[in-house]
């Protein structure tokens, strides 16, 4: 059982949320998206949100700042959050063209807000679940895309709803978070996306 819970935590790691949101947008949008636009967005986002954070993690681990990829302590979480927030700002200002992909643009703004909220909570000695922040953000974003484009993605929403429950259960089972940290993380993710909806929905 423990191995299964660890696999769930790896599969739905927060690192994958930005690229999943990006791919979901291009798969679901009825807008015409030239291949050049898609490639000029997907590849840099993949590099900035997965490749660079993984390299940064190994650097931080080698110098003794973090011990594991799940970063269980409060202090371990701060530096990766600084790095991720900076990379998300680069994406918003340099990678995503607002005029063509406003929905994706505000998705990343919502992620910045969620990660910044998580960082602030660390200074109050509260470790919100990054896994649930990411799942809450992604689930709310997919719901918003479904409403915005008037498309039926009920199967996808069911999958991510079940996945959110599995991730929450895995984090509790592995004693990585308390119930409060799970709930706060989920609601931070959901509300960070809700705050941006009025600008594009």
């Amino acid at each position: 059982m423990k191995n299964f819970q660890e696999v769930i935590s790896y599969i739905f790691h927060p690192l994958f949320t930005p690229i999943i949101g990006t791919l979901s947008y291009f798969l679901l949008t009825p807008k015409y998206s030239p291949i050049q636009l898609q490639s000029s967005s997907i590849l840099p986002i993949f590099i900035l949100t997965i490749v660079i954070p993984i390299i940064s993690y190994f650097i931080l681990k080698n110098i003794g700042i973090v011990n594991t990829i799940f970063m269980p302590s409060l202090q371990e979480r701060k530096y990766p959050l600084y790095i991720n927030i900076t990379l998300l700002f680069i994406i918003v200002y340099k990678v995503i063209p607002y005029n063509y992909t406003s929905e994706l643009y505000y998705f990343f703004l919502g992620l910045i807000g969620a990660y910044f909220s998580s960082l602030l909570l660390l200074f109050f000695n509260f470790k919100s679940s990054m896994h649930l922040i990411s799942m809450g953000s992604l689930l709310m974003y997919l719901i918003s895309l479904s409403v915005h484009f008037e498309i039926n993605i009920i199967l996808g929403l069911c999958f991510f709803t079940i996945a959110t429950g599995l991730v929450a259960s895995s984090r509790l089972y592995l004693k990585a978070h308390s119930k409060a940290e799970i709930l706060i993380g989920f609601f931070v993710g959901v509300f960070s996306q809700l705050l941006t909806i009025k600008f594009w929905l």
Side-chain angles (χ1 to χ4, degrees):
M1 179 60 76
K2 183 179 179 181
N3 290 337
F4 173 74
Q5 303 294 355
E6 289 177 344
V7 168
I8 291 295
S9 294
Y10 279 109
I11 291 175
F12 295 101
H13 194 279
L15 277 181
F16 303 126
T17 301
I19 196 66
I20 292 174
T22 302
L23 292 173
S24 298
Y25 169 76
F26 285 117
L27 287 172
L28 296 176
T29 179
K31 295 179 181 179
Y32 172 65
S33 299
I35 296 298
Q36 295 88 344
L37 173 63
Q38 295 184 34
S39 59
S40 65
S41 299
I42 293 171
L43 182 58
I45 288 172
F46 177 80
I47 293 171
L48 287 168
T49 62
I50 296 180
V51 177
I52 293 179
I54 289 175
I55 294 172
S56 301
Y57 162 73
F58 284 112
I59 293 172
L60 293 174
K61 186 175 182 180
N62 284 333
I63 61 179
I65 292 179
V66 302
N67 294 313
T68 73
I69 196 170
F70 296 120
M71 295 166 285
S73 71
L74 295 173
Q75 193 60 36
E76 283 182 81
R77 288 170 169 255
K78 290 181 181 179
Y79 292 101
L81 275 172
Y82 290 139
I83 293 169
N84 283 331
I85 290 171
T86 301
L87 293 172
L88 289 176
F89 268 115
I90 292 173
I91 290 171
V92 166
Y93 282 105
K94 296 295 184 181
V95 176
I96 302 173
Y98 170 79
N99 292 335
Y100 294 98
T101 58
S102 59
E103 299 88 355
L104 195 57
Y105 177 87
Y106 283 110
F107 169 63
F108 277 92
L109 280 185
L111 285 181
I112 291 172
Y115 288 1
F116 188 73
S117 298
S118 180
L119 181 61
L120 285 179
L121 288 172
L122 289 178
F123 288 98
F124 292 95
N125 294 319
F126 187 86
K127 185 182 67 173
S128 56
S129 171
M130 291 302 300
H131 278 78
L132 270 296
I133 284 177
S134 297
M135 295 303 292
S137 296
L138 190 57
L139 184 58
M140 191 66 243
Y141 179 62
L142 291 175
I143 292 172
S144 303
L145 285 180
S146 176
V147 174
H148 181 56
F149 293 129
E150 298 181 353
I151 51 178
N152 184 354
I153 54 170
I154 190 67
L155 291 178
L157 294 177
C158 288
F159 171 79
F160 279 102
T161 300
I162 294 170
T164 300
L166 286 173
V167 172
S169 298
S170 72
R171 305 312 287 157
L172 288 172
Y173 181 85
L174 296 170
K175 294 182 172 57
H177 292 284
S178 66
K179 290 181 181 179
E181 292 167 348
I182 293 288
L183 287 172
I184 294 297
F186 179 74
F187 285 117
V188 165
V190 168
F191 285 117
S192 67
Q193 293 300 318
L194 280 175
L195 289 175
T196 66
I197 282 178
K198 64 179 181 180
F199 298 107
W200 62 269
L201 190 60

